[in-house]
Amino acid sequence: MDEAPALTLAVDGRRPPTPVAVKELADLCDRVEDTGPGAVAVLRVAGMPDPDWVTGLDTAVVTKWERTLRRFERLPAVTVAVAAGDTGGCALDALLAADLRVVAPGTRLTLPADGEATWPGMAAFRLVRLLGAGRARRAVLFGDPVGAEEALALGLADEVSDDPDRALADLVLRYGDGGGSELAVRRQLLLDDATTSFEDALGSHLAACDRALRRAAREPA
């Protein structure tokens, strides 16, 4: 099987959201969408913000950053993030928005502080969605770091590897051809199912089943 084309972006958690960071992520989304089926989006994330990182930060830029992350999260492609070292801020945002996550030993995932408490961005939302309020409590309320092995045990990481590049290549080879619009649909169902009742979820799942059956009927036997 041919390896899926991987389109890569480095996300530096040491810097706050900026118009440049927003544009870089939006450009990656453009490239993935232009590449089409089989594309894989890869984020290499690392770094923690300085203590005064919110100084001069603008709500409008934060809003654009969060919206672009949401666009990344909805891409019709497999998305993978690779983290190494202390990871927070924009780097943590990007990591948690990916489908698959590889972390190097010694990696620590940490919500940064805003001067008085932890930063109340959507990384906190994603942590609660992924872990539940109980397991995410100390990380969200007090900024307790989540180490590599704990992240693996909690499901925040899919692999802890001394050779993240090899682990990344293996994941791309294994899952890279599974992208497309139907992946985006399954991802949205997965996210919605965490907080939706059976009755409310039924319609969305049946609609997806109907699309799958129609697609199968169009394909030659």
Side-chain angles (χ1 to χ4, degrees):
M1 180 179 62
D2 293 335
E3 188 167 314
L7 303 169
T8 304
L9 175 68
V11 180
D12 187 352
R14 296 172 299 179
R15 67 180 185 179
T18 63
V20 172
V22 172
K23 185 177 186 306
E24 289 174 346
L25 185 57
D27 287 347
L28 175 68
C29 293
D30 288 341
R31 287 189 289 147
V32 170
E33 290 168 350
D34 290 344
T35 299
V40 177
V42 176
L43 300 178
R44 294 185 176 274
V45 305
M48 277 288 296
D50 294 329
D52 61 349
W53 72 286
V54 297
T55 302
L57 190 58
D58 184 89
T59 303
V61 175
V62 174
T63 300
K64 290 177 181 177
W65 171 248
E66 295 288 8
R67 287 177 176 169
T68 308
L69 274 173
R70 186 60 169 158
R71 179 186 173 193
F72 172 83
E73 199 169 34
R74 290 174 166 175
L75 283 174
V78 176
T79 60
V80 188
V82 181
D86 287 346
T87 300
C90 289
L92 181 61
D93 290 338
L95 178 78
L96 296 178
D99 295 324
L100 301 166
R101 307 175 197 100
V102 178
V103 300
T107 297
R108 299 194 307 168
L109 311 178
T110 310
L111 280 177
D114 64 9
E116 294 187 7
T118 54
W119 177 245
M122 293 302 285
F125 172 87
R126 290 185 174 93
L127 279 173
V128 173
R129 271 289 183 92
L130 290 165
L131 301 180
R135 288 179 171 176
R137 184 182 64 254
R138 289 186 299 170
V140 172
L141 295 182
F142 307 113
D144 279 11
V146 179
E149 294 298 334
E150 184 181 4
L152 180 64
L154 292 174
L156 287 179
D158 294 282
E159 289 194 35
V160 175
S161 176
D162 291 310
D163 189 352
D165 288 338
R166 181 67 261 167
L168 169 63
D170 290 343
L171 287 174
V172 169
L173 186 62
R174 182 174 182 181
Y175 297 111
D177 63 348
S181 60
E182 288 304 309
L183 171 68
V185 171
R186 302 304 183 275
R187 185 192 294 125
Q188 191 59 51
L189 290 173
L190 174 69
L191 293 172
D192 291 344
D193 287 348
T195 58
T196 304
S197 69
F198 176 91
E199 288 75 15
D200 290 338
L202 181 59
S204 297
H205 280 266
L206 289 177
C209 291
D210 182 64
R211 283 194 301 274
L213 292 173
R214 290 174 183 272
R215 187 176 65 256
R218 291 193 301 268
E219 293 175 355

